[in-house]
Amino acid sequence: MEIEVLKDKLVDVKANIEKKESFLEALASFKELLLHEYEKSPLLIQELMFTIILRVGIILQSRYTSDVCLEAGLEIFRNAWNVVSEKEKPDLYIWIKKLDGILNYNPKTFDSASSNYLFDGHLTVDPEPPCPGWMVVRDVFDHTCNYRVRRFHQFVDVVQADSQAIDYGRPPASRVVVTTLPVISLTEEHLSRLGCGSECAVCREELIIEDMMQELPCRHLFHPACLQPWLELHNSCPMCRYELPTDDIRYECQKEKDKETREECKRRDNALISEYMYV
Ligand SMILES: [Zn+2]
Ligand SMILES: [Zn+2]
């Protein structure tokens, strides 16, 4: 295939994987291109293909959760494994393990003996016992993907520049609280509440219907993969500083004392004001 034709096809694939209605079809044509064109293509085209592969992972992580979509995505990663160079394999491995883990998880039929192999003839993993439900949900949103980690660190740098003083000495959010935060699928109602062009404040991805998001009590929404690493370091909402409980008893006691002191001050101020008014 001529380079220009191939490039046009890849540009189409790149656009079509972003839309739910054309996602599966785009993956099918991408699979063909991957199998027949990747190895003989120049580096620039290979890089474009690899960008698409990683993008498929990101899209599956934040948008599509049906088995059909996950299987189609996994198929892309498995096929890519056979054609990419060694240095690209670690990135693929992360996604293959992640997607394979989600698809193979079935509490009733889980068979650890048959899950030793990610796929025939390639990597093997140790058999693992079935995970509790919340761990599986957490794993779906695992933040090991380099792209998200990079975005997350950029975000932390920016926010930390103006929040260091506020966060100093604050422990991270309580693990139990973090793992029980609700995960919701975005609806039109959410999007109209958030306004058009809304994005996840951490990764700057524009939010679309059916994105899987985690909601803090302040009602700010983030991709679970973006929020989790933040809450491993902080106990507050990245946007409005709403504080979540922590596992640090001393910190919680101090917080309670500070609150009482503030309320006491307020009571005294109010008493003074009413005294003044009656004089
Ligand atoms: Zn995000
Ligand atoms: Zn908030």
Side-chain angles (χ1 to χ4, degrees), residues 216-222 237-242:
L216 290 178
C218 55
R219 301 196 74 192
H220 282 126
L221 297 164
F222 306 90
C237 167
M239 288 178 80
C240 70
R241 324 299 308 176
Y242 176 94

Side-chain angles (χ1 to χ4, degrees), residues 28-41:
S29 49
F30 182 56
K31 187 178 140 187
E32 291 304 308
L33 298 175
L34 198 59
L35 285 176
H36 301 116
E37 305 294 335
Y38 187 91
E39 280 170 301
K40 51 186 177 193
S41 292

Side-chain angles (χ1 to χ4, degrees), residues 62 148 151 199-205 207 213 221-227:
S62 58
R148 277 192 194 277
R151 284 294 184 95
E199 50 185 33
C200 166
V202 179
C203 68
R204 298 278 171 209
E205 281 282 302
L207 303 182
M213 306 297 287
L221 297 164
F222 306 90
H223 294 122
C226 299
L227 185 62

Side-chain angles (χ1 to χ4, degrees), residues 103-155:
L103 280 164
N104 277 335
Y105 178 74
N106 182 336
K108 287 188 205 81
T109 60
F110 190 90
D111 171 8
S112 61
S114 67
S115 66
N116 289 2
Y117 296 92
L118 285 176
F119 45 97
D120 289 341
H122 292 289
L123 296 168
T124 58
V125 290
D126 292 333
E128 286 172 23
C131 303
W134 65 265
M135 269 189 79
V136 175
V137 171
R138 209 182 129 82
D139 196 43
V140 176
F141 308 115
D142 195 351
H143 52 83
T144 40
C145 165
N146 289 342
Y147 167 82
R148 277 192 194 277
V149 170
R150 207 167 49 240
R151 284 294 184 95
F152 173 70
H153 285 299
Q154 283 168 356
F155 175 77

Side-chain angles (χ1 to χ4, degrees), residues 79-94:
N79 280 297
W81 185 273
N82 295 325
V83 292
V84 300
S85 69
E86 289 304 313
K87 78 172 176 22
E88 272 128 6
K89 288 191 176 178
D91 272 336
L92 291 186
Y93 176 75
I94 289 168

Side-chain angles (χ1 to χ4, degrees), residues 29 50 168:
S29 49
F50 200 71
Y168 182 74

Side-chain angles (χ1 to χ4, degrees), residues 166-228:
I166 303 169
D167 267 352
Y168 182 74
R170 284 185 184 175
S174 155
R175 270 189 67 84
V176 175
V177 171
V178 172
T179 50
T180 50
L181 284 173
V183 178
I184 57 165
S185 170
L186 277 190
T187 61
E188 242 169 272
E189 211 181 312
H190 290 119
L191 286 180
S192 62
R193 168 165 69 86
L194 296 166
C196 72
S198 303
E199 50 185 33
C200 166
V202 179
C203 68
R204 298 278 171 209
E205 281 282 302
E206 194 177 325
L207 303 182
I208 60 163
I209 289 181
E210 290 181 21
D211 265 5
M212 299 295 282
M213 306 297 287
Q214 226 160 7
E215 188 171 39
L216 290 178
C218 55
R219 301 196 74 192
H220 282 126
L221 297 164
F222 306 90
H223 294 122
C226 299
L227 185 62
Q228 300 277 334

